[in-house]
């Protein structure tokens, strides 16, 4: 029998992580037979984690669901076609909406859902009228989205470090050499080289962490604060910056509000 073999370049869709690491996959008669990181991917440049490298196991697993399953009794299911499943789910959802209101439904997407699927779940809940769309990101990264929303009016405007051009990098409680930069949101497998380059061009990397982490070892300065004191560390920086007027006053006057309130808050805090 003639086999249909080809190699495709694609992105990983296993995790709910944003980098969508580049993969090069051998496909034979519609089945993945080999998976390699894509060296030519412009961001991940040959990096893929263990989950992405096992994507063929997900696709080829004999227990993988390929059609909807309807529960007939506890622990027992029957296979139904998509049209039957969608019509029945729609009928039941309308009934829930009618009897209990839109907030009676919630969705939860685990880490095997990619970011696109999570966006679809959000859209589904919004259309239904429910705010209850939960996913793995409900437990992490919400701080960044909340700050972006307050600062820029959109929770998706999350700033990325400009490591390639930075002259000073302050890293608090993060160890990107081990996390491949994931704690900076976008995975940056070459963050180690980027941080080393800051020092090499005369800049400075400062790591604030109680532990001497792998990243702290390549930094120009390691500040080992006591666990749980990072808030006071940041307040101390603010006290110096605001108290000694070490900021661009014209910029602050044009773009910021609440400086007087911040000054009063800082005056009332005893950092001693
Ligand atoms: S980090 Fe892993 S799971 Fe996430 S996109 Fe890359 S290969 Fe996939």
């Amino acid at each position: 029998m003639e086999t249909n073999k080809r190699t495709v370049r694609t992105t990983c869709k296993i995790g709910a992580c944003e980098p969508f690491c580049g993969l090069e996959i051998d496909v034979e008669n519609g089945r993945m037979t080999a998976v390699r990181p894509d060296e030519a991917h412009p961001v991940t440049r040959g990096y893929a984690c263990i989950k992405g490298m096992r994507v063929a196991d997900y696709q080829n697993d004999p227990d993988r669901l390929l059609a909807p399953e309807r529960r007939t009794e506890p622990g027992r299911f029957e296979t139904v076609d998509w049209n039957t499943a969608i019509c029945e789910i729609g009928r039941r959802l309308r009934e829930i909406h009618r009897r209990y209101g839109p907030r009676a439904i919630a969705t939860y997407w685990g880490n095997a859902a990619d970011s696109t699927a999570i966006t679809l779940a959000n859209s589904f809940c919004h259309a239904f009228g429910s705010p209850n769309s939960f996913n793995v990101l409900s437990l992490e990264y919400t701080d960044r989205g909340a700050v972006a929303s307050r600062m820029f009016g959109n929770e998706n405007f999350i700033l990325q470090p400009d490591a390639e051009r930075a002259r000073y990098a302050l890293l608090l409680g993060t160890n990107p050499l081990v996390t491949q930069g994931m704690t900076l949101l976008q995975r940056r497998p070459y963050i180690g080289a980027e941080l080393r380059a800051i020092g090499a061009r005369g800049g400075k990397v400062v790591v604030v962490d109680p532990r001497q982490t792998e990243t702290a070892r390549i930094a120009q300065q390691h500040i080992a604060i006591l666990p749980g004191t990072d808030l006071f560390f940041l307040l101390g920086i603010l006290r110096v910056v605001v108290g000694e007027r070490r900021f661009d006053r014209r910029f602050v006057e044009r773009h910021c509000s609440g400086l007087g309130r911040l000054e009063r808050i800082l005056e009332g805090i005893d950092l001693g």
Side-chain angles (χ1 to χ4, degrees):
M1 192 179 90
E2 195 180 329
T3 57
N4 179 4
K5 284 188 192 173
R6 63 199 174 108
T7 298
V8 292
R9 289 176 63 209
T10 183
T11 55
C12 171
K13 300 169 189 71
I14 290 282
C17 35
E18 293 77 5
F20 296 104
C21 296
L23 299 176
E24 201 177 68
I25 299 182
D26 294 340
V27 181
E28 199 170 327
N29 294 327
R31 280 173 73 90
M32 298 184 204
T33 53
V35 180
R36 298 175 293 279
D38 182 359
E39 304 283 341
H41 189 281
V43 176
T44 51
R45 290 186 268 169
Y47 174 84
C49 80
I50 185 74
K51 287 189 292 182
M53 294 297 289
R54 304 311 298 242
V55 66
D57 292 350
Y58 284 75
Q59 192 206 35
N60 300 331
D61 193 294
D63 288 337
R64 181 177 171 214
L65 283 179
L66 298 173
E69 296 279 304
R70 176 167 59 191
R71 186 165 51 194
T72 53
E73 56 186 275
R76 299 188 77 85
F77 297 85
E78 64 178 0
T79 302
V80 294
D81 61 59
W82 281 103
N83 197 40
T84 302
I86 289 168
C87 288
E88 186 163 334
I89 291 168
R91 184 177 55 73
R92 291 199 196 180
L93 283 173
R94 277 195 298 278
E95 179 63 11
I96 291 171
H97 194 290
R98 189 185 64 76
R99 290 181 65 178
Y100 306 108
R103 298 173 79 102
I105 69 138
T107 60
Y108 186 90
W109 286 78
N111 199 34
D114 62 37
S115 303
T116 313
I118 288 175
T119 304
L120 290 175
N122 289 344
S123 303
F124 172 77
C125 278
H126 289 167
F128 198 80
S130 169
N132 304 323
S133 176
F134 304 105
N135 55 64
V136 285
L137 300 181
S138 313
L139 303 175
E140 55 176 352
Y141 297 136
T142 43
D143 50 349
R144 273 154 258 212
V147 169
S149 174
R150 294 289 293 272
M151 288 183 70
F152 309 117
N154 187 317
E155 70 264 23
N156 293 314
F157 286 167
I158 296 173
L159 295 180
Q160 294 297 311
D162 190 3
E164 282 174 26
R165 285 180 291 185
R167 294 190 303 274
Y168 188 99
L170 177 64
L171 306 177
L172 285 105
T174 181
N175 191 11
L177 251 65
V178 168
T179 64
Q180 309 286 342
M182 196 58 189
T183 43
L184 307 170
L185 192 58
Q186 292 287 358
R187 192 173 296 276
R188 301 166 70 109
Y190 294 90
I191 188 70
E194 289 173 334
L195 291 176
R196 285 188 181 92
I198 292 174
R201 59 177 176 263
K204 190 171 181 181
V205 176
V206 179
V207 171
V208 180
D209 201 304
R211 195 169 72 84
Q212 194 194 44
T213 61
E214 291 77 359
T215 308
R217 284 187 211 120
I218 66 157
Q220 277 63 50
Q221 188 178 4
H222 173 211
I223 303 174
I225 61 171
L226 291 173
T229 60
D230 40 353
L231 174 64
F232 300 100
F233 177 82
L234 291 168
L235 280 171
I237 293 177
L238 269 179
R239 277 277 285 267
V240 173
V241 170
V242 174
E244 298 181 11
R245 289 290 188 259
R246 295 198 196 186
F247 58 86
D248 183 339
R249 285 190 71 83
R250 283 182 55 201
F251 181 91
V252 169
E253 279 162 12
R254 279 185 65 192
H255 299 289
C256 305
S257 60
L259 179 62
R261 189 161 163 249
L262 176 64
E263 286 173 324
R264 285 193 295 283
I265 291 171
L266 291 172
E267 279 164 13
I269 292 172
D270 178 8
L271 290 175

